[in-house]
Amino acid sequence: MMKKPFSIACTILAALSTATQAFAFEPNRPVEFVVASGAGGGTDNFARTIQSIITKYKLMDQSMVVLNKGGGSGAEAFLYARQNKGDANKLYFGTNNAYLLPHVAKMAYSTEDLTPVAALAFDEFLIWVKSDSPYGKPTDLVEAAKAKPGTIAFAGSQSKDTDETLVALIEQQTGASFKYVPFNGGGEVGVQLAGGHVAANVNNPNENVGQWQAGAVKPLCVFSSTQMARSEPIHDGKGWQDIPTCIEAGIPIKSYKMPRTVWTAADVPEDALAYYTEVLRKVSETSEWKEYVRKTSQTGDFLTGKALGDFIATSETNAVKVFKTEGWLVQ
């Protein structure tokens, strides 16, 4: 039976008051912002953007120090949270890896060691192919994979992670059979596609936008219930808003998003959760943050409380169904 570790935290966060509240909690030393990735990548840049906005607007009296702990696909950061249970001077930043890793590998932490504070943005996922690819629609790619099972190379970042989970979901929902090829990160995945070494990938917008601008790759659809936000033309007069949703393009998957979420360790006092939630809310309302989200082509939804808890629960449930079908669940 799946655990539901977020119910208490969601109840606490749903009751938070407005920005004018005087909080009983204030950090009493520099706040560690522990990032579940190495330095220089998209996750690290996301965290450092938050840090710079907090510093610029003096949203906290104490300074914030970014600490990278990306080992084990981010598990190192979450193990650090377990080791620092109740420490309200540490925040943790990751994606859905926080709650999905323990399902596919034996970890020294569990989701009960974490409490969600807020999701500040979501990565969209698209199917990309080479610009001269014979696959003009997502269904063309699917039909090719049905005709030649296990031969169409579909690239993604890491194994049994967000990208491979999506490729497996496509297979399960369409009956296609791809050859999944893992690489170290989305940047490498984009290069491999542009070079013609794989047939497709499921990169997020920011990881393939450079190759699209250069005319090396093209997007076929986005896994969202609505089209992406309007942008300036990127290539051949087309912008993000011109990409069809995958469900309207014939792939029966309504939505697939990766949350960019801030956590505390378990047993952090509720007034500290309230304090950090309000700080992050203020970050999300700045022009700098909105520009960052626009430039990286993310969806800038701010979720906390019950809305965040519901998203996590649904995301986890759907992913575990895929893991079970693929035989990835740890015993």
mmCIF file with all atom_site columns, all heavy atoms in Angstrom, residues 213-225:
data_model
loop_
_atom_site.group_PDB
_atom_site.id
_atom_site.type_symbol
_atom_site.label_atom_id
_atom_site.label_alt_id
_atom_site.label_comp_id
_atom_site.label_asym_id
_atom_site.label_entity_id
_atom_site.label_seq_id
_atom_site.pdbx_PDB_ins_code
_atom_site.Cartn_x
_atom_site.Cartn_y
_atom_site.Cartn_z
_atom_site.occupancy
_atom_site.B_iso_or_equiv
_atom_site.pdbx_formal_charge
_atom_site.auth_seq_id
_atom_site.auth_comp_id
_atom_site.auth_asym_id
_atom_site.auth_atom_id
_atom_site.pdbx_PDB_model_num
ATOM 1  N N   . GLN A 1 213 ? 15.939 26.609 -32.617 1.00 0.00 ? 213 GLN A N   1
ATOM 2  C CA  . GLN A 1 213 ? 16.289 27.900 -33.214 1.00 0.00 ? 213 GLN A CA  1
ATOM 3  C C   . GLN A 1 213 ? 17.203 27.720 -34.421 1.00 0.00 ? 213 GLN A C   1
ATOM 4  O O   . GLN A 1 213 ? 17.096 28.438 -35.419 1.00 0.00 ? 213 GLN A O   1
ATOM 5  C CB  . GLN A 1 213 ? 16.972 28.794 -32.175 1.00 0.00 ? 213 GLN A CB  1
ATOM 6  C CG  . GLN A 1 213 ? 16.034 29.350 -31.111 1.00 0.00 ? 213 GLN A CG  1
ATOM 7  C CD  . GLN A 1 213 ? 16.785 30.088 -30.020 1.00 0.00 ? 213 GLN A CD  1
ATOM 8  O OE1 . GLN A 1 213 ? 17.908 29.721 -29.668 1.00 0.00 ? 213 GLN A OE1 1
ATOM 9  N NE2 . GLN A 1 213 ? 16.165 31.119 -29.468 1.00 0.00 ? 213 GLN A NE2 1
ATOM 10 N N   . ALA A 1 214 ? 18.108 26.746 -34.334 1.00 0.00 ? 214 ALA A N   1
ATOM 11 C CA  . ALA A 1 214 ? 19.057 26.491 -35.412 1.00 0.00 ? 214 ALA A CA  1
ATOM 12 C C   . ALA A 1 214 ? 18.458 25.663 -36.541 1.00 0.00 ? 214 ALA A C   1
ATOM 13 O O   . ALA A 1 214 ? 19.117 25.433 -37.562 1.00 0.00 ? 214 ALA A O   1
ATOM 14 C CB  . ALA A 1 214 ? 20.290 25.785 -34.848 1.00 0.00 ? 214 ALA A CB  1
ATOM 15 N N   . GLY A 1 215 ? 17.227 25.202 -36.352 1.00 0.00 ? 215 GLY A N   1
ATOM 16 C CA  . GLY A 1 215 ? 16.577 24.405 -37.393 1.00 0.00 ? 215 GLY A CA  1
ATOM 17 C C   . GLY A 1 215 ? 17.028 22.964 -37.441 1.00 0.00 ? 215 GLY A C   1
ATOM 18 O O   . GLY A 1 215 ? 16.790 22.262 -38.433 1.00 0.00 ? 215 GLY A O   1
ATOM 19 N N   . ALA A 1 216 ? 17.674 22.485 -36.356 1.00 0.00 ? 216 ALA A N   1
ATOM 20 C CA  . ALA A 1 216 ? 18.171 21.110 -36.335 1.00 0.00 ? 216 ALA A CA  1
ATOM 21 C C   . ALA A 1 216 ? 17.121 20.116 -35.869 1.00 0.00 ? 216 ALA A C   1
ATOM 22 O O   . ALA A 1 216 ? 17.156 18.935 -36.240 1.00 0.00 ? 216 ALA A O   1
ATOM 23 C CB  . ALA A 1 216 ? 19.406 21.013 -35.441 1.00 0.00 ? 216 ALA A CB  1
ATOM 24 N N   . VAL A 1 217 ? 16.190 20.562 -35.009 1.00 0.00 ? 217 VAL A N   1
ATOM 25 C CA  . VAL A 1 217 ? 15.140 19.682 -34.497 1.00 0.00 ? 217 VAL A CA  1
ATOM 26 C C   . VAL A 1 217 ? 13.795 20.403 -34.594 1.00 0.00 ? 217 VAL A C   1
ATOM 27 O O   . VAL A 1 217 ? 13.741 21.609 -34.829 1.00 0.00 ? 217 VAL A O   1
ATOM 28 C CB  . VAL A 1 217 ? 15.404 19.275 -33.023 1.00 0.00 ? 217 VAL A CB  1
ATOM 29 C CG1 . VAL A 1 217 ? 16.769 18.618 -32.872 1.00 0.00 ? 217 VAL A CG1 1
ATOM 30 C CG2 . VAL A 1 217 ? 15.303 20.489 -32.097 1.00 0.00 ? 217 VAL A CG2 1
ATOM 31 N N   . LYS A 1 218 ? 12.732 19.629 -34.376 1.00 0.00 ? 218 LYS A N   1
ATOM 32 C CA  . LYS A 1 218 ? 11.393 20.224 -34.372 1.00 0.00 ? 218 LYS A CA  1
ATOM 33 C C   . LYS A 1 218 ? 10.530 19.534 -33.323 1.00 0.00 ? 218 LYS A C   1
ATOM 34 O O   . LYS A 1 218 ? 10.689 18.335 -33.065 1.00 0.00 ? 218 LYS A O   1
ATOM 35 C CB  . LYS A 1 218 ? 10.740 20.106 -35.751 1.00 0.00 ? 218 LYS A CB  1
ATOM 36 C CG  . LYS A 1 218 ? 10.532 18.676 -36.232 1.00 0.00 ? 218 LYS A CG  1
ATOM 37 C CD  . LYS A 1 218 ? 9.954  18.638 -37.647 1.00 0.00 ? 218 LYS A CD  1
ATOM 38 C CE  . LYS A 1 218 ? 9.766  17.194 -38.136 1.00 0.00 ? 218 LYS A CE  1
ATOM 39 N NZ  . LYS A 1 218 ? 9.265  17.136 -39.534 1.00 0.00 ? 218 LYS A NZ  1
ATOM 40 N N   . PRO A 1 219 ? 9.629  20.279 -32.681 1.00 0.00 ? 219 PRO A N   1
ATOM 41 C CA  . PRO A 1 219 ? 8.730  19.679 -31.693 1.00 0.00 ? 219 PRO A CA  1
ATOM 42 C C   . PRO A 1 219 ? 7.481  19.132 -32.383 1.00 0.00 ? 219 PRO A C   1
ATOM 43 O O   . PRO A 1 219 ? 6.938  19.756 -33.300 1.00 0.00 ? 219 PRO A O   1
ATOM 44 C CB  . PRO A 1 219 ? 8.378  20.865 -30.787 1.00 0.00 ? 219 PRO A CB  1
ATOM 45 C CG  . PRO A 1 219 ? 8.444  22.053 -31.704 1.00 0.00 ? 219 PRO A CG  1
ATOM 46 C CD  . PRO A 1 219 ? 9.495  21.749 -32.732 1.00 0.00 ? 219 PRO A CD  1
ATOM 47 N N   . LEU A 1 220 ? 7.027  17.967 -31.922 1.00 0.00 ? 220 LEU A N   1
ATOM 48 C CA  . LEU A 1 220 ? 5.808  17.379 -32.486 1.00 0.00 ? 220 LEU A CA  1
ATOM 49 C C   . LEU A 1 220 ? 4.584  17.648 -31.636 1.00 0.00 ? 220 LEU A C   1
ATOM 50 O O   . LEU A 1 220 ? 3.492  17.839 -32.156 1.00 0.00 ? 220 LEU A O   1
ATOM 51 C CB  . LEU A 1 220 ? 5.986  15.868 -32.669 1.00 0.00 ? 220 LEU A CB  1
ATOM 52 C CG  . LEU A 1 220 ? 7.063  15.411 -33.642 1.00 0.00 ? 220 LEU A CG  1
ATOM 53 C CD1 . LEU A 1 220 ? 7.020  13.891 -33.790 1.00 0.00 ? 220 LEU A CD1 1
ATOM 54 C CD2 . LEU A 1 220 ? 6.920  16.088 -34.990 1.00 0.00 ? 220 LEU A CD2 1
ATOM 55 N N   . CYS A 1 221 ? 4.747  17.647 -30.289 1.00 0.00 ? 221 CYS A N   1
ATOM 56 C CA  . CYS A 1 221 ? 3.605  17.925 -29.404 1.00 0.00 ? 221 CYS A CA  1
ATOM 57 C C   . CYS A 1 221 ? 4.107  18.134 -27.991 1.00 0.00 ? 221 CYS A C   1
ATOM 58 O O   . CYS A 1 221 ? 5.239  17.779 -27.650 1.00 0.00 ? 221 CYS A O   1
ATOM 59 C CB  . CYS A 1 221 ? 2.579  16.794 -29.450 1.00 0.00 ? 221 CYS A CB  1
ATOM 60 S SG  . CYS A 1 221 ? 3.126  15.213 -28.741 1.00 0.00 ? 221 CYS A SG  1
ATOM 61 N N   . VAL A 1 222 ? 3.245  18.720 -27.150 1.00 0.00 ? 222 VAL A N   1
ATOM 62 C CA  . VAL A 1 222 ? 3.559  18.957 -25.748 1.00 0.00 ? 222 VAL A CA  1
ATOM 63 C C   . VAL A 1 222 ? 2.558  18.200 -24.879 1.00 0.00 ? 222 VAL A C   1
ATOM 64 O O   . VAL A 1 222 ? 1.360  18.168 -25.167 1.00 0.00 ? 222 VAL A O   1
ATOM 65 C CB  . VAL A 1 222 ? 3.537  20.469 -25.412 1.00 0.00 ? 222 VAL A CB  1
ATOM 66 C CG1 . VAL A 1 222 ? 2.184  21.100 -25.738 1.00 0.00 ? 222 VAL A CG1 1
ATOM 67 C CG2 . VAL A 1 222 ? 3.893  20.712 -23.946 1.00 0.00 ? 222 VAL A CG2 1
ATOM 68 N N   . PHE A 1 223 ? 3.052  17.577 -23.801 1.00 0.00 ? 223 PHE A N   1
ATOM 69 C CA  . PHE A 1 223 ? 2.198  16.789 -22.912 1.00 0.00 ? 223 PHE A CA  1
ATOM 70 C C   . PHE A 1 223 ? 1.522  17.707 -21.893 1.00 0.00 ? 223 PHE A C   1
ATOM 71 O O   . PHE A 1 223 ? 1.878  17.745 -20.717 1.00 0.00 ? 223 PHE A O   1
ATOM 72 C CB  . PHE A 1 223 ? 3.011  15.701 -22.215 1.00 0.00 ? 223 PHE A CB  1
ATOM 73 C CG  . PHE A 1 223 ? 3.443  14.606 -23.140 1.00 0.00 ? 223 PHE A CG  1
ATOM 74 C CD1 . PHE A 1 223 ? 4.709  14.644 -23.724 1.00 0.00 ? 223 PHE A CD1 1
ATOM 75 C CD2 . PHE A 1 223 ? 2.592  13.566 -23.460 1.00 0.00 ? 223 PHE A CD2 1
ATOM 76 C CE1 . PHE A 1 223 ? 5.113  13.649 -24.598 1.00 0.00 ? 223 PHE A CE1 1
ATOM 77 C CE2 . PHE A 1 223 ? 2.987  12.562 -24.338 1.00 0.00 ? 223 PHE A CE2 1
ATOM 78 C CZ  . PHE A 1 223 ? 4.257  12.602 -24.914 1.00 0.00 ? 223 PHE A CZ  1
ATOM 79 N N   . SER A 1 224 ? 0.568  18.457 -22.362 1.00 0.00 ? 224 SER A N   1
ATOM 80 C CA  . SER A 1 224 ? -0.160 19.408 -21.527 1.00 0.00 ? 224 SER A CA  1
ATOM 81 C C   . SER A 1 224 ? -1.615 19.429 -21.964 1.00 0.00 ? 224 SER A C   1
ATOM 82 O O   . SER A 1 224 ? -1.936 19.144 -23.122 1.00 0.00 ? 224 SER A O   1
ATOM 83 C CB  . SER A 1 224 ? 0.456  20.805 -21.671 1.00 0.00 ? 224 SER A CB  1
ATOM 84 O OG  . SER A 1 224 ? -0.289 21.763 -20.958 1.00 0.00 ? 224 SER A OG  1
ATOM 85 N N   . SER A 1 225 ? -2.493 19.765 -21.027 1.00 0.00 ? 225 SER A N   1
ATOM 86 C CA  . SER A 1 225 ? -3.921 19.851 -21.365 1.00 0.00 ? 225 SER A CA  1
ATOM 87 C C   . SER A 1 225 ? -4.237 21.114 -22.143 1.00 0.00 ? 225 SER A C   1
ATOM 88 O O   . SER A 1 225 ? -5.301 21.224 -22.751 1.00 0.00 ? 225 SER A O   1
ATOM 89 C CB  . SER A 1 225 ? -4.760 19.799 -20.080 1.00 0.00 ? 225 SER A CB  1
ATOM 90 O OG  . SER A 1 225 ? -4.376 20.848 -19.204 1.00 0.00 ? 225 SER A OG  1
#
